[in-house]
Amino acid sequence: MAAKGYKAAARRTLEHAPEVREAVTRATLHFDRNRERAYGEVEAEAWRDWAAATKRHTLSRLDRYLLEAERNLTAPGTEVHWAEDAKDAQRILQELVERYGVRRVVKGKSMLSEELGVNEHLERLGVEVFETDLGEYIIQLAGEPPSHIVGPAIHKGLEEIRALFHERLGTPPDASPETLAAVARRVLREAFLTADMGISGANFVVAETGTVVLVENEGNIRLTTSTPRVHVVFVGIEKLLPRARDLEVFLQLLARAATGQKIGTFVSLINGPRREGEPDGPEHLHVIFVDNGRTSVLADREMHEALSCIRCGACLNACPVYRQTGGHAYGQVYSGPIGIVLTPGLKDPRLAEDLGYACSLCTACADVCPVRIPLPKQILTWRVRSTKHAPATERLAFEGYAEVMTRPRFYRLSSKLLRLTAPLTGAPWLPVLGAWAAGHGALEPSPKSFREIWEEELDGA
Amino acid sequence: MPDARSRILQRVRRALEGRWPVEAPTRPWRPAVEETGAVARFLAHAKASGVEAHRFEGPAAARNWLEDWAAGFKNAAVSPLIPEALRPSLPAAPPEKAELGVSRALAAVADTGSVLLSSTEGRRLQLLPPAHLVWVDESEVVQHLGEVLGRLADDPPSALALHSGPSKSADIGQIMVQGVHGPGRLVVAVVRGLAELEADPTEPASTREAPSHTPKTTPPAALDWEAVHALEDHRLATKRGDAFTVEKVTENTAVVRVSSSNKTYTLRRRCLEKAARLASAGTPIPGPAAYRKLACNEAPAYAWAILHTLDLI
Amino acid sequence: MRVCFFVTCLADQFFAEAAADAVRLLRALGVEVSFPRAQTCCGQPAFNAGHWDEARRMAAHTQDVFAGCEYVVLPSGSCTTMLRAYTPRLFEGDRHRYDAALDLAGRSYELVEFLVRVLNTESVGRGLTGRRLAYHHGCHVSRELGIKEEPVRLLEAAGAKVVPWEADQECCGFGGVFSVKNAPVSLAMADRKLDTLPEVDALTSADGACLLHLAGRAKKRGLAVPVRHVASLLWEAHRGG
């Protein structure tokens, strides 16, 4: 079996699937440039401050806002459920599937449903599931998880998607993107009109009004939440906003951060099941509030700000590490900077021992995050927490390093040693430098250290 | 045994224990205001997002355009909210078969180039046909997104939606494709006087005059705005008995504050006048629902109560 | 004006001539430069790797070495960032050391930053006329210290043309411990920089570590990329005009 973890997967991707690096780099640079332009058109700094403060406020009163949301959701006839973890969520979903005799489900893109294993569970129940976002549909056909929060299939180039559609749907091997999209539309249109249940996530839930808010560009989420007779919403407990007015900022900031648009092409503001006199819409609306590790993150004084995340993907797009491999190398639902910060908190702190180092600490993510999550700082905090499980050689190396660097005489001695041994061995006086040599060639110290130059030439000059 | 709900809430409370509560930003967020008017700004932003946006000086001009434009379609699914004059002369079809869906927007937003649609008219006709035509009254075009979000607190329909362009996706190799699931064409027509057309059942179904050149003859207002001014600081109650105060009356609006929630709503003079006119012409407006249908879809409970207090309905 | 020169361990060993050029330049501009002998490493390698106990020991040593200096100037943006932004975080539980860290942060400057913001230098000379340069914006220098325009301005004032480079703001992939723990990704990042690099006479930066990484990678791939520390270029600019 192949070695696990980011380190091994990243190496494999770079060695065996170089086309992923190319596709992901192109897509993320495109997203990031659009984001930069869109931030430049408005007072982005002030917007980000405002949004960050609103999110921090909401989280600091989360219990109150959850209850307010529950009250206002329930009033027009929406049923509210609570799930502590994936098993809980699956059980609730199973009850609903049985209650309504569901055979066919259409799904809008939802990262939370990936966390909860919704598709696998529905398939076990014999329910047919259609991912309806075009990117999600592509990776469902390919049997892969999403590799990016906003663009789930950005790791695939046009050629790969052509081949996939050719094999699975019989399109010509050189079909245009328009043709491919039209074929997907036909298949999924049929699914929309025959499904018994639509499943979506939620970008926001407004506590004041009990409104479920969804943002998208294709219209598949509007269809998912409008055509089947049952609509089920999975929503993380951190997705609340206090007031409807708050959406004014968040809808615009989310779109600008994610893709550089002014607003998502379709915004659904769902207030309840179909009302009397309305010609269509689902008769039953279920909202499932999911914890699945979020309360642990909330309790973590150094990580709780990560719950402000609005899943725009801007940190992934800005991340030069993410660009080399795409999201699959992280081996988790959430990848990129926010994935590194959230995953150990949601699942298992020991995941940070591997994920925490999938970062060069370049801080580009902090520059773009619309809700100012201190991602580099938090990634470093995970590293600090991980060092107690670090390999003995690593700990010894840093202890030795500190010994040398706090004793100027040792330091000067090492400096001389470096010059003596480097030409012979590629400078293995610290174990780390051996690894360096493989990708860079041997380190070449300056012929004389600065200290020597100073003493010979500059001192007293 | 406590259930999942109480266990989750318990964990949330424990996590927040001893933590300083963070206040919400006190300074209200202000969107950037651009120099141009709402309609021009809306049209520019909508066009930039791929909307085919039009502006008409009156229903007659809109009707003229519609006749030519709609001739390209075989059939249509048309919202019941659309006045006769602006319904295309096409055979009706269910949304899943129709080539064209026709909607009546509640509002349009200049900030984002969006139209606000309601599930009251049906959602499928907004989504299933490959082309979507949306009518909106010029007076309902606002500058900022925040101006329409109040509707969420005001007894909203099951779903409101903002549409800001044709359905699109770049999921196939970053190449933009239109019409992936929803309509591949979004056509928005801003019409001056659309709301009056709806309110006045005597207007001929398809008028051919060019009202933009003839001076508008507004019937004398049945509503004395001074009487509304006089209600300032008065405490009133809705038909259901919810107490509210008329907080401030300006040249064109009246702001009310609801006692129980402390929320404020803005009522437009134009809407109140329209309802009063209809009532004086004999149209019964027995309650907020009728006000909403005949006049305006904004805070009808309070608007109706004001007109009722003034003995106009 | 008197400054203490903090050469930093990396420049001491690998960019010794560039560091010497920094001293020569400062002196040529009338600055009195001293070199506290007990200095070693700012502690950043351990800090970024998460080994904060070790980082603290090195940071404390550095504090003591530079305690009496009016200004501390470093030919390394990354190490300057350590003193300015990171060291205080190491001492959040230690009032005395924390205050000392803030005090040192207030006195520490990256070389170019010192030239432009303290000495108000607009030009060091015209000795780079006709030279085509690519400037790599090190992450720490540009994002943590906010030094973006200054180096480019000084280089252009010296007559050089700093050519547009689509990846000039992107991370080179070094990242200290990252380059060891995830070497293939780190190298792929360097490759992206090198593959987009325009035709230039030299690739330069205010951060030696980035240059070491990029130069090593270029050499391994057999690319001829002349790498010069910005301190050397500025000294050359001064001498040549």
Side-chain angles (χ1 to χ4, degrees), chain A residues 7 21 357 360 362 377 383 394 403 405 411 419 439-440 444 446 448 450-451 457-459, chain C residues 12-14 16 24 27 37 39-40 48-49 51 57 89 143 171 181-182 188 213 216-217 219:
Chain A
K7 191 173 170 163
R21 174 173 178 253
Y357 295 88
S360 65
C362 81
K377 195 174 169 183
R383 286 188 186 178
E394 181 184 323
E403 284 300 316
M405 293 301 180
Y411 173 73
R419 265 161 202 80
H440 301 82
E444 286 170 43
S446 305
K448 283 182 188 172
F450 172 81
R451 203 168 290 266
E457 186 190 329
L458 298 169
D459 196 11
Chain C
D12 190 10
Q13 304 305 331
F14 299 100
R24 294 177 186 122
R27 285 184 172 164
R37 301 300 176 88
Q39 62 176 278
T40 56
N48 278 357
H51 293 270
R57 292 173 56 196
R89 274 162 64 188
R143 274 187 284 273
C171 176
K181 290 219 180 203
N182 284 297
H213 176 62
R217 184 59 183 163
K219 194 172 158 214

Side-chain angles (χ1 to χ4, degrees), chain A residues 299-329:
Chain A
D300 187 331
R301 304 266 165 139
E302 290 174 292
M303 299 295 165
H304 66 97
E305 284 156 312
L307 291 179
S308 303
C309 176
I310 56 173
R311 306 287 190 269
C312 67
C315 63
L316 279 62
N317 301 329
C319 178
V321 175
Y322 176 89
R323 278 183 202 145
Q324 308 311 316
T325 64
H328 287 164

Side-chain angles (χ1 to χ4, degrees), chain B:
Chain B
M1 195 183 90
D3 56 2
R5 176 179 181 274
S6 44
R7 279 196 299 269
I8 291 173
L9 288 168
Q10 185 59 36
R11 279 203 298 274
V12 169
R13 289 188 187 115
R14 209 172 309 136
L16 298 175
E17 229 165 63
R19 207 176 285 182
W20 207 250
V22 182
E23 293 308 316
T26 44
R27 209 161 43 86
W29 178 81
R30 287 309 315 159
V33 182
E34 292 174 23
E35 291 303 309
T36 55
V39 175
R41 196 163 156 254
F42 164 75
L43 293 169
H45 286 171
K47 282 177 184 161
S49 317
V51 177
E52 300 165 44
H54 303 275
R55 178 181 198 172
F56 298 106
E57 289 302 322
R63 175 75 213 173
N64 272 339
W65 167 82
L66 179 66
E67 297 236 315
D68 284 348
W69 183 82
F73 298 90
K74 273 211 299 284
N75 53 22
V78 182
S79 159
L81 304 181
I82 293 176
E84 195 49 42
L86 295 179
R87 303 175 78 87
S89 330
L90 292 170
E96 60 273 20
K97 299 252 167 60
E99 290 187 352
L100 173 67
V102 187
S103 285
R104 170 73 171 93
L106 300 177
V109 181
D111 276 342
T112 54
S114 315
V115 286
L116 181 71
L117 302 169
S118 162
S119 55
T120 311
E121 65 174 15
R123 311 186 196 187
R124 289 180 176 227
L125 67 89
Q126 302 164 353
L127 296 164
L128 292 172
H132 187 200
L133 168 63
V134 179
W135 294 113
V136 61
D137 186 275
E138 195 183 85
S139 69
E140 288 158 353
V141 182
V142 300
Q143 285 281 15
H144 305 303
L145 187 55
E147 294 173 63
V148 302
L149 291 168
R151 288 167 192 268
L152 288 172
D154 180 22
D155 191 24
S158 69
L160 291 169
L162 292 160
H163 286 204
S164 312
S167 156
K168 54 175 168 279
S169 170
D171 282 340
I172 299 178
Q174 297 301 300
I175 300 151
M176 193 59 82
V177 175
Q178 289 200 353
V180 182
H181 290 296
R185 282 179 76 186
L186 175 61
V187 184
V188 176
V190 179
V191 184
R192 179 179 295 171
L194 173 55
E196 274 77 13
L197 187 68
E198 287 161 346
D200 189 354
T202 60
E203 183 149 343
S206 86
T207 163
R208 286 282 172 183
E209 302 96 72
S212 55
H213 300 298
T214 52
K216 261 196 191 162
T217 52
T218 323
L223 175 65
D224 177 8
W225 195 245
E226 282 309 310
V228 179
H229 260 295
L231 287 178
E232 230 173 41
D233 296 330
H234 278 61
R235 203 174 152 87
L236 310 178
T238 65
K239 197 175 181 186
R240 257 178 35 186
D242 301 329
F244 69 96
T245 313
V246 181
E247 193 166 87
K248 190 170 179 336
V249 178
T250 68
E251 182 56 30
N252 289 309
T253 60
V255 179
V256 299
R257 183 178 291 278
V258 182
S259 313
S260 57
S261 63
N262 208 31
K263 280 178 206 153
T264 59
Y265 297 98
T266 305
L267 313 176
R268 272 178 295 176
R269 176 178 179 173
R270 192 178 62 72
C271 299
L272 291 163
E273 283 179 351
K274 189 161 93 185
R277 253 194 332 269
L278 290 168
S280 73
T283 312
I285 307 181
Y291 175 89
R292 180 202 292 278
K293 194 160 167 244
L294 293 163
C296 263
N297 184 24
E298 57 179 27
Y302 311 107
W304 185 87
I306 286 177
L307 295 174
H308 188 70
T309 306
L310 297 174
D311 276 333
L312 291 165
I313 49 180

